[in-house]
Amino acid sequence: MNIRTVATQPFSDQKPGTSGLRKKVPVFQQAHYLENFVQAIFDSIAAPKGATLVLGGDGRYHNRTAIQTILKMAAANGFSKVLVGRGGILSTPAASCVIRKHKTFGGIILSASHNPGGPKEDFGIKYNGSNGGPATETVTEAIFAKSKTLSSYKILDAADVALDTLGTSSVGDMTVQVIDPVSDYAELMESLFDFGAIRALLQGGFRIKFDAMHAVNGPYAKDILEGRLGAAPGSVMNAVPLEDFGGGHPDPNLTYAHDLVEIMFGADAPDFGAASDGDGDRNMILGKRFFVTPSDSLALLAANATLAPAYRKGLAGIARSMPTSAAADRVAQALNIPCYETPTGWKFFGNLMDAGKVTLCGEESFGTGSDHVREKDGLWAVLFWLNIVAVRKQSVEDIVREHWAKYGRNFYSRYDYEGLPTEAANGVMQHLRDSFTALVGRSFGKYVVQMCDDFSYIDPVDSSISKAQGVRLLFSDGSRIIFRLSGTGTEGATLRVYLEAFEADVQRHPLDAQVALAELIAIALQVSELVARTGRDKPTVIT
Ligand code: VG1
Ligand code: CO
């Protein structure tokens, strides 16, 4: 066995973002770039000798190459076993499930999630701990600090491992076990939901369409929806994972999941539509010619949770990211359970779930999940919805409209300005921070600014503090405008503007969200000076 210690220079740009380190593929292809980051992970997590690791990714371009490198480095760094998904494939929620089920020390997930893939597109890597969740801020900061001082890494000289057949092989003294990427996850889903009821719904002529967007969830959706639940063949579309996602943007929203949207808003629309993203952790839910906002979806799942076997006893609490609408808060209040508001990114939910404080979590960015794993989970949300529809025997639209009638409606939209010059984006944020004092108390038509701040969060479990998590303008009627810089982009800066207006009486105000939010949008543009400062008169994407 030949372990090589390779001398290297640190890279200065290996700071993990909202969800791991994401860069263009050519950046990752630079000599030592991936190796340095992996060594920084191994040095920071201090796994005991003989530990087991989970390894897999969303199958995008560079996945297989990176997996071979990481296997050889894991062997050189003293791991005794690695569980790797067949073909190097594991969706993010499945990786979380495997870490938990097999009680491994942690796992490495290769994905840039919803970002495009291919030789010139994005690649990503993140570390998840033994609870199956994304490394906490403390760990990611330690990894970044390490990456800046690294002078060498360890790798084994060994042949590549065969990844396409199940079974075990060795790399030096380390065992590599190639596992079925779907089966542990599918079994977990079967234990949470009433598969019998969903099967009966589908047999009764309820038609569904799931768009896997040529991303990792194709095999999972085929196995679970068409296989175990008997959905009609072809219910899963774009089911074959491709290294470049077929040239698309594997982001399940009304803009990028256009194939599905056309079908669901067409003449012969099925009853239920859904899509998931590159690594399978996001979801979009559609009814027949009807879109469910992710914030509403979280609130609805919470309100109907006891209809699914796993949540029959009720919820301990709910958590949502700060920009996510307060629709879930209203449900929490009605259920008399706590609702936590965290910074953006799934890593903040882990502590709350580990401490038993929350059962369901969600983000406005098409992410929902529960304590069954420690990641958001796209297919889980789809199955939860199907379970609810199967029990309530109502259409998606009727379920949502009843919800609004009972709780009121939080109109919601997000405007993304992508690829901005970094200085211009920072300039907008700084200008807003400088305007706090002048803004408080000011009225814009019916909207009166009650409070402005830059959101900061104290973790209720470990008391760690996360500052500067987004500028908030809170209005006296509960409406909100939030400005935040993305932490997942790989080109320039992305500025997100989140808009929310609450309407208690939906009968009086049955409008389209963009119409209902028009005044708030105008206020957002005015106070931020966004158009003048960025030169953009339109957002890149509206969700
Ligand atoms: C975005 C979303 C955030 C999500 C993150 C990772 O982050 O806004 O809610 O947790 O992506 O999702 P940002 O920093 O770009 O706003 V995924 O599907 O990449 O794991
Ligand atoms: Co994702």
Side-chain angles (χ1 to χ4, degrees):
M1 198 174 80
N2 185 17
I3 296 176
R4 266 193 304 139
T5 301
V6 181
T8 184
Q9 298 284 326
F11 293 89
S12 57
D13 65 342
Q14 298 196 320
K15 186 173 171 58
T18 314
S19 189
L21 181 69
R22 290 191 190 163
K23 298 284 172 194
K24 294 282 174 209
V25 167
V27 174
F28 269 105
Q29 285 170 329
Q30 296 171 84
H32 312 313
Y33 193 88
L34 173 73
E35 290 85 342
N36 273 22
F37 191 71
V38 172
Q39 190 64 52
I41 294 176
F42 289 158
D43 288 353
S44 311
I45 61 174
K49 234 183 148 37
T52 299
L53 198 66
V54 171
L55 179 60
D58 63 11
R60 68 179 59 224
Y61 187 85
H62 204 54
N63 195 56
R64 283 175 179 264
T65 315
I67 285 194
Q68 297 294 351
T69 303
I70 297 169
L71 286 173
K72 290 167 200 174
M73 288 186 67
N77 279 276
F79 284 90
S80 74
K81 189 173 182 184
V82 177
L83 302 176
V84 49
R86 186 181 48 230
I89 292 286
L90 276 176
S91 76
T92 290
S96 186
C97 159
V98 173
I99 293 170
R100 293 170 68 79
K101 180 168 177 178
H102 299 275
K103 301 193 167 49
T104 70
F105 187 76
I108 290 179
I109 303 176
L110 304 173
S111 169
S113 189
H114 54 290
N115 297 5
K120 297 269 174 297
E121 298 296 349
D122 291 2
F123 190 74
I125 171 169
K126 69 171 180 171
Y127 177 72
N128 281 31
S130 58
N131 71 346
T136 59
E137 287 232 295
T138 321
V139 175
T140 47
E141 272 156 27
I143 294 171
F144 179 47
K146 194 79 213 171
S147 78
K148 289 190 287 192
T149 59
L150 205 77
S151 57
S152 67
Y153 61 84
K154 281 193 257 174
I155 189 161
L156 195 79
D157 277 326
D160 280 0
V161 177
L163 293 175
D164 295 304
T165 32
L166 301 182
T168 55
S169 56
S170 12
V171 179
D173 292 340
M174 185 182 84
T175 304
V176 176
Q177 187 179 349
V178 176
I179 60 167
D180 181 314
V182 178
S183 57
D184 286 334
Y185 177 82
E187 276 167 28
L188 176 60
M189 292 303 117
E190 257 186 297
S191 75
L192 301 174
F193 300 114
D194 188 343
F195 271 38
I198 301 175
R199 214 175 284 125
L201 174 79
L202 296 171
Q203 268 159 13
F206 186 89
R207 288 157 62 220
I208 65 170
K209 203 76 175 169
F210 180 89
D211 189 351
M213 303 189 84
H214 288 303
V216 77
N217 256 352
Y220 293 85
K222 276 261 173 203
D223 178 304
I224 296 173
L225 298 174
E226 293 186 15
R228 295 172 198 242
L229 291 168
S235 296
V236 181
M237 62 193 275
N238 299 324
V240 179
L242 299 174
E243 284 198 330
D244 67 348
F245 309 115
H249 207 124
D251 198 354
N253 59 42
L254 293 175
T255 306
Y256 294 126
H258 39 75
D259 292 358
L260 176 73
V261 170
E262 236 166 69
I263 295 171
M264 291 307 299
F265 285 81
D268 186 32
D271 302 290
F272 180 91
S276 58
D277 72 332
D279 60 334
D281 57 358
R282 297 187 177 201
N283 73 89
M284 174 170 70
I285 302 292
L286 301 170
K288 200 189 275 277
R289 291 183 279 282
F290 190 82
F291 167 64
V292 186
T293 73
S295 295
D296 278 348
S297 180
L298 172 65
L300 268 137
L301 294 181
N304 293 280
T306 53
L307 301 181
Y311 311 101
R312 198 138 280 159
K313 293 203 182 103
L315 308 173
I318 308 172
R320 62 163 175 85
S321 67
M322 180 274 282
T324 304
S325 97
D329 304 34
R330 296 174 196 287
V331 176
Q333 203 177 5
L335 295 174
N336 200 19
I337 55 173
C339 186
Y340 296 86
E341 186 176 37
T342 62
T344 295
W346 214 259
K347 59 180 166 235
F348 296 99
F349 294 137
N351 275 351
L352 297 172
M353 292 192 277
D354 288 348
K357 291 181 182 294
V358 305
T359 312
L360 293 192
C361 310
E363 295 192 280
E364 49 64 43
S365 55
F366 298 82
T368 13
S370 87
D371 60 359
H372 68 290
V373 289
R374 292 292 180 276
E375 287 279 4
K376 54 186 180 274
D377 190 343
L379 256 178
W380 166 91
V382 172
L383 294 168
F384 205 159
W385 264 97
L386 288 173
N387 192 146
I388 290 167
V389 171
V391 176
R392 289 189 51 167
K393 301 186 169 51
Q394 285 173 291
S395 72
V396 170
E397 178 167 353
D398 286 349
I399 291 174
V400 176
R401 290 199 184 279
E402 269 186 24
H403 186 92
W404 289 339
K406 180 167 176 194
Y407 294 95
R409 178 173 175 189
N410 292 70
F411 285 97
Y412 193 84
S413 188
R414 184 176 102 182
Y415 282 37
D416 291 337
Y417 297 81
E418 295 175 0
L420 299 176
T422 308
E423 313 80 74
N426 288 337
V428 172
M429 296 301 286
Q430 193 49 49
H431 166 68
L432 285 162
R433 289 187 192 104
D434 293 342
S435 313
F436 286 170
T437 340
L439 280 171
V440 176
R442 203 167 137 192
S443 18
F444 298 85
K446 67 170 182 181
Y447 293 104
V448 183
V449 182
Q450 194 172 48
M451 190 189 127
C452 304
D453 72 352
D454 201 346
F455 181 63
S456 78
Y457 176 69
I458 303 175
D459 187 298
V461 180
D462 65 15
S463 302
S464 58
I465 300 176
S466 306
K467 291 188 176 150
Q469 297 293 323
V471 163
R472 307 193 289 180
L473 269 60
L474 308 179
F475 297 89
S476 51
D477 71 340
S479 299
R480 303 190 304 163
I481 302 175
I482 289 142
F483 298 85
R484 193 184 147 265
L485 294 179
S486 153
T488 57
T490 56
E491 248 167 359
T494 293
L495 178 67
R496 305 199 194 284
V497 185
Y498 308 82
L499 305 138
E500 174 181 2
F502 178 68
E503 177 55 57
D505 183 358
V506 276
Q507 297 314 326
R508 189 163 57 84
H509 200 339
L511 294 175
D512 169 80
Q514 295 304 320
V515 179
L517 293 167
E519 272 176 80
L520 281 179
I521 293 163
I523 299 169
L525 294 177
Q526 185 190 333
V527 301
S528 63
E529 301 179 353
L530 191 150
V531 178
R533 288 174 178 273
T534 65
R536 296 283 180 86
D537 57 2
K538 281 202 292 300
T540 324
V541 187
I542 298 180
T543 49

